[in-house]
Amino acid sequence: MRGTPPPIGLVWAIWLLILLLELATPPSVVLGILYVVPLLLGASQRSTAQAWRFLVISCAATLVNVHVPLPVHHNLVPVLVDRLLVCLALTVTTVLLLNNQTLQRQRVALEVDLAQAQLRSDVIATLAHDLKTPVLGTLASLALLDNGVVVEAMRSSQQRCLRLINDLMEVFRAEQEGLQPQLQPCNLLTIAQEAVSTVEPIAAQRQIALVLRQPQASPSRLTLNGDSSLLRRLIENLLLNAVHHSLRGQRVWLQLSCEPGGWQVDVRDGGAGFPPEDLARLFQRFGTTGTGSRGTGLGLYLCRLISEAHGGSIRASNFHGGGARVVVQLPEAGG
């Protein structure tokens, strides 16, 4: 525990006592090094400018004693050199104190940032868990009711909430621990078909058709070393993003293709496209677009994390005349 700094009056009293001792002794007796005591005692209470002023005053008092109270008429050089060395020692001490204060401020700022990050993580994890429980309860209750338009709309809304909560938990878990993909051989076409079947009911409510363009290569050629659950989340988020940016009656295309050294996942829609000024920050956390469409900015950010965790990359672009495209490149050996 850090002690209470001494009163500033006491610091100056010690400095004055040292000055009086200097004046009471012959110039050949160099006591100026004692100024380091008030220099250290009052360091925590001084700003940078005040520290330099205190140093100048102490050095001036040390040099003045060469002629006060009695001037030196012989052997002036050794006396002056001794006092200049004292001034140099005081200067070095001041520089070290200022550097130490800077490091202390940086350490405190870092501790505050870490504490805030930990608190934010704990709050979000707790909040996401508490939100997930009633959503799962609602979905279980809806399963007991007869299917209908209202029930289906409620189920869709709750499923979307559940996806957002899962995205939130996945993102903050990834930022705390890093994504840890469980790599094993998996078929990209099978994963894409599962993702399409998951998103199709949501797209159907908006009267949007999902089109999976079969790759020219044989299905067995689309086997890669990856985490099937993360890759399915990646494709689902890309499809959901395209659906939410599309108008009723439009289509969303999912194209899988083999590229030299890997695979490409290409999702296209016929909506308004991304605002050009948002393309640079599209895959950042909470990097929502300015189109006014729904979204938290976590879906595409999570897509970037998953792509990079597999050693791949992701990019977005617009088509002339409308529509957007998001392309994911996955290497042949994921991870």
Side-chain angles (χ1 to χ4, degrees), residues 56-103:
V56 170
I57 294 172
S58 299
C59 290
T62 301
L63 295 175
V64 163
N65 190 230
V66 175
H67 294 288
V68 177
L70 297 174
V72 178
H73 298 291
H74 55 86
N75 295 330
L76 175 62
V77 174
V79 174
L80 185 59
V81 169
D82 288 343
R83 294 185 179 275
L84 288 175
L85 288 176
V86 168
C87 293
L88 178 61
L90 294 176
T91 302
V92 171
T93 303
T94 300
V95 171
L96 293 177
L97 286 173
L98 292 176
N99 288 339
N100 183 65
Q101 288 177 352
T102 300
L103 292 175

Side-chain angles (χ1 to χ4, degrees), residues 40-58:
L40 294 173
L41 289 177
S44 61
Q45 304 173 65
R46 299 189 190 101
S47 64
T48 301
Q50 290 172 336
W52 286 115
R53 284 197 295 269
F54 188 87
L55 172 65
V56 170
I57 294 172
S58 299

Side-chain angles (χ1 to χ4, degrees), residues 16 25 37 72 77 89 112 121 154 174 186 246 259 270 278 292 302-303 321:
L16 182 59
T25 56
V37 177
V72 178
V77 174
V112 170
S121 176
M154 294 174 62
C186 54
S246 300
E259 299 291 329
D278 291 337
L302 183 58
C303 289

Side-chain angles (χ1 to χ4, degrees), residues 303-316:
C303 289
R304 195 196 87 192
L305 295 180
I306 296 174
S307 301
E308 293 176 349
H310 284 80
S313 61
I314 187 171
R315 68 180 188 274

Side-chain angles (χ1 to χ4, degrees), residues 268-282:
R268 309 183 184 192
D269 65 70
F274 300 112
E277 64 273 13
D278 291 337
L279 286 174
R281 60 184 182 88
L282 197 60

